[in-house]
C-alpha cells in the first residue's frame, strides 16, 4: 500500500493501538526526505545518512533524499525545515544538543517545538584533545595556563552553543576563571574545526568522542579529558571529574518530523525509525563510529527535549555563555 493511501486510511482509526493492528507491509513507505542542518562530513551528516541507509534496509523507505543546509548551529536548516516541510509526513530533520544550545545562545525562540518529536538516537560525551605538536601534555597544563592568562588558551570546536563551547565555559567556571574571558574559536563545520585542531592553530580542541577516534591511535591528537561521569569502556582517557574539574555534559542526536503532521503520521515515523534502528545497517554504524545508542521516542522524547532546553539555558547562564 502506498504511504499516502495508508495515511488517509489511518486517519479514520483511533491513535491508540491503530498502528499495531496493521500488518507491517501496510506501513511500507515511499521516498523520504532528510534535512541535515550542517555541512557534509560532521556528526549530524553522518547520523542522518546512517539513519537513511537503515530506513531503506528496514523496508520503510524506498529511497531517502538528503539536503545539507549548514550554519548558525543548525538554525538556518531548522528555519528552512519549519518553513518548507510543514505538513509533510515523509520529512525528517536531524537535530541535537548543538541546535538547542545555539538557539539559547542566539536568544531565538525554540521553533522546532512546532515539529513532531520522533526519536533520540545516540548520545556520547565530549572529549578535549591537544594537537601532536602542543607544548601542553595534560588538562592540568591547560588549566594552569588558563588561570595565568585566560585569553592565551584558544578553545576550538563547533558553533557557539555547541556542547564543546558550553563545556569549555564550564571548565573555566569550575577552576575559578571568569567564563567570558575564555578565548573560544567557533567553526561553522567539522572539517574546518578539525583542520585547525590538527594544525595546532588552536590550543585545545573539543568535540564528540567519536569525531576524534580516527586520529588518537596514530598520535595526531592527544585526548586529555572526557566529559562523562566515568571513563568510557576500553578507554584510558580520564574524566574531567577525575582531574578535579566538576564538569559533565553529553552530545545527543535525534530526529524530528515536520510541523503540522497528524498524530498518526508522527506515530508512523516513530514506527519507521524504531524498525530502522534494529537493522544491521544501523548496528554497523554504531560500531563504526563508536556511538552509544540512546533511544527515546515520541512524546517522551519531546518532554526530554523541553527539559534539556531548560537545563542548557540554566547551565549557559550560570557559566556566562549567555548573560
Amino acid at each position: 500500500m502506498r504511504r499516502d493511501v495508508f495515511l488517509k486510511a489511518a486517519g479514520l482509526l483511533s491513535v491508540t493501538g491503530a498502528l499495531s493492528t496493521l500488518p507491517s507491509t501496510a506501513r511500507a513507505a515511499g521516498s523520504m526526505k532528510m534535512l541535515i542542518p550542517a555541512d557534509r562530513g560532521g556528526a549530524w551528516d553522518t547520523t542522518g545518512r546512517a539513519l537513511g541507509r537503515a530506513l531503506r534496509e528496514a523496508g520503510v523507505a524506498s529511497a531517502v533524499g538528503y539536503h545539507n543546509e549548514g550554519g548558525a548551529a543548525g538554525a538556518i536548516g531548522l528555519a528552512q525545515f519549519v518553513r518548507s516541510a510543514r505538513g509533510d509526513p515523509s520529512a525528517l530533520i536531524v537535530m541535537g544538543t548543538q541546535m538547542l544550545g545555539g538557539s539559547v545562545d542566539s536568544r531565538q525562540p525554540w521553533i522546532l517545538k512546532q515539529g513532531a518529536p520522533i526519536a533520540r538516537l545516540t548520545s556520547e560525551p565530549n572529549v578535549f584533545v591537544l594537537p601532536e605538536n602542543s607544548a601542553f601534555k595534560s588538562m592540568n597544563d591547560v588549566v594552569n595556563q588558563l588561570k595565568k592568562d585566560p585569553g592565551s588558551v584558544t578553545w576550538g570546536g563547533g558553533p557557539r552553543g555547541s556542547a564543546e563551547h558550553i563545556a569549555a565555559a564550564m571548565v573555566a567556571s569550575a577552576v575559578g576563571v571568569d567564563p567570558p574571558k575564555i578565548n573560544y574559536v567557533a567553526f561553522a563545520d567539522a572539517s574546518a574545526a578539525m583542520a585547525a585542531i590538527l594544525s595546532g592553530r588552536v590550543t585545545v580542541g573539543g568535540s564528540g568522542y567519536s569525531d576524534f577516534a580516527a586520529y588518537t591511535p596514530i598520535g595526531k591528537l592527544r585526548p586529555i579529558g572526557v566529559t562523562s561521569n566515568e571513563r568510557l569502556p576500553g578507554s584510558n582517557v580520564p574524566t574531567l571529574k577525575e582531574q578535579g574539574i566538576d564538569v559533565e555534559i553529553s552530545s545527543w542526536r535525534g530526529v524530528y518530523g515536520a510541523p503540522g503532521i497528524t498524530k498518526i503520521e508522527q506515530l508512523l515515523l516513530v514506527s519507521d525509525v524504531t524498525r530502522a534502528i534494529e537493522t544491521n545497517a544501523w548496528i554497523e554504524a554504531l560500531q563504526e563510529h563508536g556511538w552509544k545508542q540512546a533511544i527515546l521516542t515520541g512524546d517522551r522524547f519531546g518532554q526530554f527535549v523541553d527539559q534539556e532546553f531548560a537545563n542548557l539555558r540554566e547551565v549557559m547562564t550560570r557559566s556566562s555563555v549567555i548573560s
Side-chain angles (χ1 to χ4, degrees):
M1 181 185 294
R2 278 173 34 215
R3 185 186 183 94
D4 58 345
V5 175
F6 164 74
L7 292 173
K8 289 177 182 178
L12 302 176
L13 301 172
S14 63
V15 170
T16 304
L19 295 178
S20 62
T21 65
L22 293 167
S24 60
T25 53
R27 300 185 202 172
S31 61
M32 297 183 72
K33 308 178 189 72
M34 187 82 66
L35 194 146
I36 301 170
D39 295 330
R40 291 290 299 267
W44 279 354
D45 182 66
T46 307
T47 300
R49 291 172 190 276
L51 180 61
R53 288 190 294 272
L55 288 165
R56 294 198 307 274
E57 185 174 301
V60 297
S62 59
V64 178
Y66 306 97
H67 178 69
N68 289 77
E69 191 68 53
I76 295 174
L78 173 57
Q80 178 178 322
F81 181 77
V82 168
R83 181 178 63 253
S84 65
R86 182 171 295 276
D88 185 347
S90 67
L92 291 170
I93 183 172
V94 181
M95 46 76 71
T97 310
Q98 179 173 297
M99 184 179 284
L100 272 67
S103 182
V104 172
D105 180 65
S106 64
R107 294 177 173 78
Q108 295 299 313
W110 178 226
I111 62 173
L112 194 56
K113 193 173 178 65
Q114 301 172 37
I118 304 303
R120 184 183 67 188
L121 298 170
T122 65
S123 179
E124 65 177 335
N126 279 65
V127 61
F128 287 115
V129 298
L130 298 172
E132 62 178 342
N133 61 350
S134 175
F136 299 140
K137 304 302 179 187
S138 67
M139 180 58 78
N140 187 56
D141 292 342
V142 173
V143 167
N144 287 339
Q145 182 62 32
L146 186 67
K147 289 178 177 179
K148 293 176 184 176
D149 182 3
S152 67
V153 177
T154 53
W155 306 77
R160 287 184 56 85
S162 62
E164 53 267 32
H165 176 212
I166 298 168
M170 292 172 72
V171 167
S173 180
V175 302
V177 173
D178 190 10
K181 293 182 179 179
I182 68 168
N183 185 0
Y184 185 82
V185 182
F187 292 92
D189 59 74
S191 59
M194 190 63 71
I197 296 165
L198 288 168
S199 67
R201 287 189 283 120
V202 294
T203 311
V204 190
S207 191
Y209 193 87
S210 61
D211 290 338
F212 295 134
Y215 298 96
T216 54
I218 57 176
K220 292 290 185 182
L221 296 171
R222 182 186 302 112
I224 56 174
V226 293
T227 62
S228 52
N229 187 50
E230 55 187 26
R231 294 191 186 195
L232 302 181
S235 170
N236 62 356
V237 182
T239 67
L240 294 180
K241 287 189 171 183
E242 282 182 74
Q243 301 177 74
I245 304 170
D246 189 16
V247 169
E248 181 180 352
I249 190 171
S250 63
S251 294
W252 54 266
R253 292 181 283 278
V255 285
Y256 259 58
I261 64 173
T262 68
K263 189 67 176 181
I264 286 287
E265 291 166 339
Q266 177 192 12
L267 292 175
L268 178 60
L269 284 172
V270 170
S271 174
D272 289 347
V273 172
T274 300
R275 291 173 62 183
I277 62 174
E278 296 173 349
T279 63
N280 288 332
W282 181 252
I283 293 169
E284 289 168 2
L286 293 175
Q287 295 171 343
E288 177 184 355
H289 300 290
W291 295 335
K292 177 183 177 182
Q293 187 142 278
I295 303 303
L296 191 63
T297 60
D299 291 341
R300 287 183 61 204
F301 175 45
Q303 293 163 8
F304 165 82
V305 170
D306 289 344
Q307 186 61 55
E308 186 78 348
F309 186 81
N311 290 345
L312 282 173
R313 181 164 50 196
E314 192 275 330
V315 167
M316 291 168 72
T317 301
R318 188 175 67 244
S319 301
S320 299
V321 175
I322 60 172
S323 57

